[in-house]
Structure formats: C-alpha cells, structure tokens
Amino acid sequence: MKTNFYIFVYIIIALLTLEYNANSQINNNDYIIKKKNGNIILAYKAFEDFLESDRSWSSYKSILLDAYPSVRKVHNRQIEWGSIDTIRFPDEIKYYKKEDFKKFIARYDLNKIIYLYDSVIARSRSILSPVNFKQVDLCFFLPYGSCFVIPEDTVNTIFISMRINPNDAEKILAHEYAHILHIDRRPKEPLSLKREIVSEGMAVFLTNRIIKNIEVSNSVPFMSKNSFEWCLNNEKLIKDSIKLELNDTTMRLFKRYISDGDFAEPPLGFVQKTGYFIGYRIIEKCFIKGMPIEDICSLDSEAVIKKSGYFE
C-alpha cells in the first residue's frame, strides 16, 4: 500500500510540474518565458550578453535587434522620439560598460516579473473584459529608457525599461494594459490632443481601479504627488489652456501636455503631464453621470468630452 501511495504522489507532482512548465516556460537561450496569455521577453538579458561581446554595432544588431523583433520596435520608437542619434549611436555603444548597467540588470526579481504579469492581467480583466483576447507580450529592455504599448493585429506588446523603478512597475503595467483594453473598444481616429487626453485619462482611471488602495494622486505614471496637487489647485488654468488646443494634431501636444522628462516643454508655469490629469477628470465626470466604463471606452474622444460636459 505504501508503494502505491508514493507512486500516486509522484504522479500528482509530475502532472503539476508539467502544467507549470506549460504555462510558464523559460528558454534560457532566447530569454523568453512562455505564458498562457503571451510571452514575457527578458530582452535586458540579451543586452547583458551584448555587454560581454566586442560591443560592436554588428554584435548589437545580431544579439538584440535581429534576434528580438520587440527590441527593434523599441529601437525604432527611440528614433521616432529623437531619443537616440542614428549616426552616433553605433559608435556610442562601443563604450558601454557592464558596471554602468549592473544596477539596472539586477534590480528586478524574475519571480516578481512573472507575478506582475499574471496578477495585473487577471485584475485588469476583472475590471474590464477584453473585446479581443489577443496575445499580450511584456518586454523588459535595456539600454533605452521609457515605457509604452504597441498594439498590433495579433499581439499587444507592453514595453518597460529596466531603468524604471521596480516600485512603479505594477502601476505602469496596469496603465499600459488599460490602454490595450481601451484601444480594442474605441473607434479609430487620427492623432489629436483630445484623443490623447481621453486615452491617458482612461488609463489613469482604470489603473486606480485595478490596483487596490492606490490614491488617484499616485495613479499617474511619473507624476509626483506635489504635481498632482498643483493640478488640483490650478485646474481652471489647465482646462482653459487645453480647451484652446484640443484639436492640435502636431507633436507639440506631447511636449506641452503629455510627456515628462527632458522631452517635455509644458506651458510656462505648468507642471508636466497635465493632460493626464484633465483626461482623468473627463472620464470621472462621465462615470459620475452613470456611464458604464464599457460605454465610455466605445466612444471617440469628441463624444466622450461632450458627454462629460467638462469644458462647458
């Protein structure tokens, strides 16, 4: 009887191990953890491999850009934003040193990355179910900074730089996945300030519901509590400024109301990222009026703003 019991226990353990490996399998050769809903791409580990190479542009392309399409997307996005100089960058990487990136490479625990992926997606879907259950990839990368999402036909990819403080990772992941849930519902419309503030406002609003016990003042990525309080105290000033520029379709809108850091050029006296604050207030107005989140997400930005009555 004892022998049969041990055989039974062994079989159960083996089956559980197989199930775990099926849902969370890491390939040490290409640093991809396969999950039920998509992949976790540890591209920063490939960058670490690059640092162990001759650090030539040829090696950078073969180890990172060619081997990982997600990293090429990050690289191209940095070019679009003007964050890197395509002429100087191939020469600059020759002088990268492992010790300069050591703190970034080691700052995230792998188990935490897997937990964040599983928990944030589950909590987000309990708040707002996806319209299309596309693959969701999560890419942690170096050497670049920033975080963003790229939605595509078959896969949505969330990109988070290893330069980002781990304490902000949950909030950022929730924010970017909220964008995915929103984008899958809203009508397509061209770039404009009104589209961007409604988009960011919805992401902030959903983040505040996905993460328990988080204050609204802490729901905007990379905005300090003091900056949020400044927005509360100067809401009419921000509202009047943004109202005049709602139909702006140039990259200037990002500099003035959306971006942070060195790229930002807010109106004189303004804090950065005021578009997030105003966007949140617009979504909040709709919600207070009794509009379900699903209905708000299904409208274009002009309709959302009109139904909110925020600028009236």
Side-chain angles (χ1 to χ4, degrees):
M1 286 294 289
K2 264 187 183 179
T3 302
N4 290 338
F5 174 75
Y6 287 132
I7 291 174
F8 176 75
V9 171
Y10 175 81
I11 291 172
I12 293 298
I13 293 173
L15 288 173
L16 290 173
T17 302
L18 285 172
E19 182 178 358
Y20 174 80
N21 288 337
N23 290 332
S24 181
Q25 181 181 13
I26 183 168
N27 185 326
N28 290 324
N29 293 325
D30 55 14
Y31 306 124
I32 294 177
I33 303 173
K34 297 185 181 299
K35 302 292 293 178
K36 182 179 179 180
N37 298 311
N39 298 315
I40 301 175
I41 305 165
L42 308 176
Y44 68 92
K45 288 185 173 290
F47 176 71
E48 186 177 17
D49 289 342
F50 163 75
L51 293 176
E52 299 284 0
S53 72
D54 61 2
R55 298 193 301 279
S56 67
W57 176 237
S58 176
S59 294
Y60 191 85
K61 288 194 295 182
S62 63
I63 295 173
L64 280 146
L65 303 185
D66 295 339
Y68 295 88
S70 55
V71 179
R72 184 172 288 279
K73 290 173 186 176
V74 177
H75 183 78
N76 290 340
R77 183 59 63 91
Q78 303 300 312
I79 294 173
E80 291 172 13
W81 289 339
S83 302
I84 59 173
D85 187 316
T86 54
I87 296 175
R88 291 188 296 180
F89 185 75
D91 188 60
E92 289 173 354
I93 60 175
K94 296 176 184 177
Y95 303 99
Y96 283 174
K97 297 178 181 178
K98 190 169 183 178
E99 52 265 33
D100 295 335
F101 290 92
K102 185 177 180 180
K103 65 178 181 180
F104 301 124
I105 292 170
R107 74 190 316 183
Y108 279 81
D109 177 75
L110 181 56
N111 289 328
K112 182 177 181 180
I113 289 175
I114 295 172
Y115 169 76
L116 284 173
Y117 179 91
D118 291 338
S119 64
V120 170
I121 288 180
R123 280 179 283 157
S124 300
R125 290 181 173 182
S126 70
I127 300 295
L128 187 64
S129 180
V131 175
N132 303 305
F133 283 85
K134 298 178 186 176
Q135 177 176 318
V136 179
D137 287 354
L138 173 60
C139 177
F140 281 87
F141 62 88
L142 281 173
Y144 321 97
S146 76
C147 52
F148 54 94
V149 61
I150 296 182
E152 296 176 287
D153 291 338
T154 59
V155 59
N156 294 306
T157 307
I158 297 170
F159 298 88
I160 298 179
S161 170
M162 292 294 283
R163 294 177 181 272
I164 301 300
N165 190 312
N167 293 331
D168 292 327
E170 182 182 34
K171 175 170 61 180
I172 291 168
L173 183 53
H175 183 93
E176 299 303 342
Y177 191 65
H179 276 310
I180 291 172
L181 295 173
H182 185 197
I183 289 169
D184 280 349
R185 285 175 161 80
R186 74 183 187 192
K188 290 185 178 181
E189 58 179 297
L191 172 68
S192 66
L193 178 57
K194 61 187 175 186
R195 187 192 78 175
E196 292 306 302
I197 62 172
V198 168
S199 175
E200 298 299 349
M202 178 56 73
V204 173
F205 187 88
L206 289 175
T207 297
N208 188 247
R209 279 148 181 79
I210 293 167
I211 302 177
K212 292 182 179 180
N213 303 318
I214 185 174
E215 298 291 334
V216 177
S217 61
N218 191 34
S219 298
V220 182
F222 313 120
M223 175 181 271
S224 68
K225 188 173 182 179
N226 287 340
S227 291
F228 191 89
E229 289 177 355
W230 184 92
C231 291
L232 286 173
N233 295 329
N234 295 274
E235 185 168 358
K236 187 179 186 307
L237 178 65
I238 309 168
K239 181 194 293 189
D240 291 344
S241 180
I242 284 181
K243 184 178 181 180
L244 294 174
E245 302 181 45
L246 281 173
N247 294 314
D248 185 3
T249 60
T250 69
M251 292 300 290
R252 180 173 177 265
L253 68 88
F254 290 101
K255 290 177 176 288
R256 287 173 66 77
Y257 302 109
I258 306 297
S259 300
D260 55 61
D262 295 337
F263 186 74
E265 295 177 5
L268 185 63
F270 279 36
V271 297
Q272 298 177 355
K273 303 173 78 71
T274 50
Y276 286 68
F277 173 81
I278 295 298
Y280 172 81
R281 296 296 255 181
I282 290 169
I283 303 301
E284 183 185 44
K285 285 281 188 183
C286 290
F287 189 74
I288 290 172
K289 288 185 174 183
M291 291 182 65
I293 294 296
E294 293 88 342
D295 292 354
I296 303 172
C297 286
S298 68
L299 300 174
D300 65 26
S301 59
E302 187 168 349
V304 172
I305 290 171
K306 184 176 180 181
K307 286 185 175 293
S308 74
Y310 182 76
F311 290 106
E312 295 174 3

